[in-house]
Amino acid sequence: MSWLKRALAAFGLAALLAGGFWGWVVSTDLPNLTPSTSVSVVDRSGVLLRAYPVADGRWRLPATAEQVDPLYRAMLMAYEDKRFETHHGVDPRALARGVWQLISNGRVVSGGSTLTMQVARLLEDGATGQWGGKLRQIRLALALERQLTKDEIFTLYLNLAPMGGNIEGLRAASLAYFAHEPNRLTPAEAALLIALPQAPTSRRPDRFNVAATVARNRVLARAVEAQIISADDAIAARTTPVPSLRRDFPALAPHLADALVAGAAPGTVIPTTIDATLQAQL
């Protein structure tokens, strides 16, 4: 029966280690899960009249999963985290692939980070390359998955993803680069917004348009491989120029908006009875 004793001992050790590991995860100190977002003033139909940057000067307009074109989410997951809907914060297959590629190539080819791990890094503005930072991301990602739904994690990414300069989040980037809300995005637009957070400084389309175009086209190619868009759609998208200018945010009824936002808490959406189209014409 010595084999049985050894098996029971191994099982007990594994259970002890697992219990210790999950105790380590459960005891994680969580950062603030409600990042500050811009105060905005909207017309009677909810159309944005004017928005204001947050305290540190960044444009971070609030967005939810329901306000975003489903094409963006599908393309994002195909490019960044194929198993987002099923993993618990960490994707062992992606991590193993990243380690193998590091050993085989002598350099980091893919980091193996899940979308949840990216959210963990963004919440704490943590490092990306150090092992200590990666371990912290893993711990926090596992803790986040225990506290939040997938849609809540996705929403945090929508609001925190760096998009170049002082622009953060999908909605601010869509308005700044395409002058419209992200509820309807073309494949070319969605691909650019997916490519930017990986290197927001060196891919800023208003400064490094060629690099932004190359990165966008890689996202389009991955979307074709994942059968999210057709090859013809990708060809058409690649012929679409990447915006080379950053647009101003809406600034309709500025004096009224300034008066209304006085003392408003971050993230407040202030409704008015104004019609945005009529206001723009006036």
Side-chain angles (χ1 to χ4, degrees), residues 4 10 21 30 52 58 78 82 84 106 121 129 136 153 171 173 187 189 207 211-212 214 234 237 244 250 255 261:
L4 180 58
F21 174 78
L30 296 179
Y52 295 79
R58 303 184 192 188
K82 296 177 182 177
F84 173 72
R121 175 176 58 81
R136 170 61 185 173
I153 293 169
R171 189 176 173 209
E189 292 171 343
R207 293 188 178 180
V214 171
S244 58
H255 299 298
V261 302

Side-chain angles (χ1 to χ4, degrees), residues 5-280:
K5 291 180 179 179
R6 287 195 297 270
L8 290 173
F11 178 80
L13 178 60
L16 182 64
L17 291 174
F21 174 78
W22 286 111
W24 176 68
V25 170
V26 170
S27 65
T28 304
D29 292 326
L30 296 179
N32 177 24
L33 299 181
T34 54
S36 178
T37 54
S38 299
V39 177
S40 58
V41 180
V42 300
D43 82 345
R44 62 191 184 193
S45 300
V47 176
L48 184 66
L49 293 174
R50 190 171 187 186
Y52 295 79
V54 295
D56 58 5
R58 303 184 192 188
W59 292 96
R60 190 188 297 139
L61 277 66
T64 64
E66 294 76 19
Q67 295 172 317
V68 173
D69 194 320
L71 175 67
Y72 169 83
R73 181 166 182 160
M75 290 177 64
L76 176 70
M77 299 313 168
Y79 194 76
E80 290 284 4
D81 192 351
K82 296 177 182 177
R83 288 173 284 277
F84 173 72
E85 301 296 343
T86 57
H87 66 60
H88 298 289
V90 175
D91 186 347
R93 292 166 60 181
L95 279 179
R97 183 184 67 246
V99 172
W100 174 250
Q101 290 174 337
L102 174 63
I103 295 172
S104 302
N105 297 276
R107 60 183 178 86
V108 175
V109 177
S110 63
S113 292
T114 63
L115 199 72
T116 312
M117 290 171 63
Q118 293 181 44
V119 168
R121 175 176 58 81
L122 292 170
L123 283 169
E124 297 189 328
D125 196 19
T128 58
Q130 291 78 17
W131 284 108
K134 184 68 72 175
L135 184 61
R136 170 61 185 173
Q137 289 169 31
I138 290 173
R139 180 184 185 184
L140 182 52
L142 292 168
L144 289 174
E145 292 272 354
R146 292 174 62 90
Q147 297 285 335
L148 305 176
T149 66
K150 292 291 185 179
D151 272 357
E152 289 171 335
I153 293 169
F154 177 57
T155 296
L156 282 171
Y157 181 83
L158 291 178
N159 287 295
L160 291 172
M163 295 290 187
N166 64 342
I167 299 175
E168 288 189 357
L170 183 76
R171 189 176 173 209
S174 183
L175 287 165
Y177 296 126
F178 308 124
H180 65 75
E181 298 280 357
N183 60 322
R184 290 290 182 270
L185 294 170
T186 67
E189 292 171 343
L192 177 63
L193 296 172
I194 290 166
L196 283 178
Q198 292 188 333
T201 300
S202 60
R203 293 178 182 174
R204 277 187 62 170
D206 56 331
R207 293 188 178 180
F208 305 100
N209 196 267
V210 173
T213 301
V214 171
R216 178 201 66 178
N217 292 346
R218 280 200 295 267
V219 177
L220 289 169
R222 187 74 61 83
V224 173
E225 292 175 7
Q227 299 182 338
I228 295 169
I229 63 174
S230 69
D232 288 342
D233 286 340
I235 291 171
R238 283 195 293 269
T239 64
T240 303
V242 167
S244 58
L245 296 175
R246 173 175 157 172
R247 300 168 185 256
D248 293 330
F249 288 93
L252 296 172
H255 299 298
L256 173 65
D258 286 344
L260 291 174
V261 302
T268 301
V269 178
I270 303 173
T272 68
T273 58
I274 289 176
D275 180 283
T277 301
L278 179 59
Q279 183 69 23

